[in-house]
Amino acid sequence: MQNACVYKNRLDEVKIGDRLDINHLFNLNGKVAIITGASKGIGKDLAHLLAQAGANIAIVARNKEQLEEAAHEIGQTGANVLPVSFDLTKVDETAQVMEGINKHFGKIDILINNAGINVAKPAEVLTSKDWDTVLDINLKSVFFTSQAAGKYMIGQKKGKIINMSSQMAFVGYYKRAAYSSSKGGITQLTKALAIEWAPHQVNVNAIAPTFIETPMTKPMFEDETFKEEVLSRIPLGRLAKTKDLFGGVVYLASDCSDMMTGQTLVVDGGWTVW
């Protein structure tokens, strides 16, 4: 397949005013993408997005029934969709799961580490179990999933890893001691992997959204006091929607971001620029 970002590799040949085929700049045709936590919510939306951009998709989550439903929906785009029911905290089995995905598709081009969880408790009552629950999903599983998928990318001398961080990696907030710690860890892990795997042309970046409106977060924002508090911190004056991540995710997944690695793209409506 012709490089989707041709002008980037032949920059000297491009002149201002040259006609570019915008439809091909972020083309993912023939790519294989893995999205974790993709049976619902943000993960499923991102799987739809990459499928529409031309990628074949492996969706990973625990709930087999929801996975099958999501795979059927995403398959309507024409993409080859593989549902993989797996508990990401079982890190000793992660390599085997990635091996199965690689065997099914013949390669792994893109990994989106989307799965995440929060235990919203004041710091003074947060338990050891709460801490482990959050860190095991949000940070530990991200490393071992990246490690397992990264080995195939290293062998190919090409790959894109996108970690789901959060604005909470950069600011403090109530009842998020474990969550903020995990997302701060993601931002640093992204840098560490980027440095190690840059010689293999594996790009590792992250995207850090603000609060996103989803069916799962809807009950949270039924508390008007909480909603007003959150909105007061977002200069653009609204909560994010999953579609607000689409441009950043496609960019980071495409060849257009080949010169970007170790970065966290913040999509927070201005929260962190106060």
Side-chain angles (χ1 to χ4, degrees):
M1 184 185 76
Q2 188 178 14
N3 191 318
C5 220
V6 174
Y7 71 91
K8 174 174 63 60
N9 291 329
R10 298 203 305 266
L11 188 60
D12 291 341
E13 299 176 21
V14 175
K15 298 176 183 178
I16 294 175
D18 280 356
R19 183 179 179 131
L20 298 174
D21 187 348
I22 300 300
N23 291 328
H24 286 83
L25 292 181
F26 302 105
N27 189 322
L28 301 180
N29 285 345
K31 302 287 188 181
V32 174
I34 302 171
I35 301 99
T36 68
S39 63
K40 58 184 178 181
I42 296 169
K44 186 169 79 169
D45 290 346
L46 295 181
H48 270 287
L49 171 70
L50 267 58
Q52 290 174 27
N56 293 311
I57 308 292
I59 53 174
V60 181
R62 286 179 290 191
N63 190 304
K64 188 174 182 179
E65 183 177 346
Q66 290 179 343
L67 270 173
E68 295 289 349
E69 292 175 2
H72 177 74
E73 288 179 31
I74 298 163
Q76 301 304 305
T77 64
N80 181 352
V81 184
L82 176 68
V84 180
S85 179
F86 178 59
D87 181 347
L88 291 163
T89 65
K90 297 180 178 179
V91 295
D92 291 341
E93 301 175 20
T94 303
Q96 183 179 349
V97 170
M98 293 299 120
E99 181 182 12
I101 293 172
N102 184 72
K103 185 175 181 179
H104 179 85
F105 288 108
K107 59 177 181 172
I108 297 172
D109 299 301
I110 301 159
L111 168 65
I112 301 181
N113 286 305
N114 167 75
I117 192 173
N118 180 38
V119 176
K121 288 184 179 181
E124 63 269 23
V125 299
L126 197 72
T127 67
S128 174
K129 182 178 180 181
D130 295 332
W131 180 273
D132 289 345
T133 296
V134 174
L135 272 291
D136 282 355
I137 287 286
N138 293 9
L139 185 56
K140 185 177 180 179
S141 78
V142 170
F143 171 74
F144 285 100
T145 303
S146 297
Q147 181 191 66
K151 290 178 181 179
Y152 297 101
M153 296 178 181
I154 289 169
Q156 297 163 182
K157 292 293 182 180
K158 180 75 172 175
K160 304 282 184 170
I161 296 176
I162 305 170
N163 297 324
M164 190 63 70
S165 186
S166 167
Q167 67 183 20
M168 297 302 165
F170 305 98
V171 298
Y173 201 68
Y174 313 100
K175 299 181 180 180
R176 281 170 177 68
Y179 184 82
S180 293
S181 298
S182 71
K183 295 304 182 179
I186 285 292
T187 296
Q188 290 303 111
L189 175 61
T190 297
K191 293 179 181 181
L193 293 180
I195 289 292
E196 286 204 47
W197 293 348
H200 306 289
Q201 304 304 306
V202 176
N203 302 74
V204 187
N205 292 291
I207 191 161
T210 187
F211 287 95
I212 297 179
E213 286 186 290
T214 66
M216 189 163 55
T217 62
K218 183 179 178 181
M220 182 191 309
F221 291 110
E222 289 174 353
D223 180 339
E224 286 299 322
T225 301
F226 175 74
K227 185 174 183 178
E228 288 176 13
E229 152 69 10
V230 168
L231 290 175
S232 73
R233 295 171 181 262
I234 302 177
L236 288 181
R238 67 173 177 86
L239 302 174
K241 300 181 183 297
T242 306
K243 67 180 182 180
D244 292 312
L245 304 181
F246 284 2
V249 168
V250 172
Y251 168 65
L252 293 176
S254 76
D255 292 343
C256 289
S257 61
D258 280 357
M259 197 59 183
M260 182 174 178
T261 197
Q263 302 302 311
T264 297
L265 186 62
V266 182
V267 184
D268 68 348
W271 183 312
T272 58
V273 301
W274 279 110

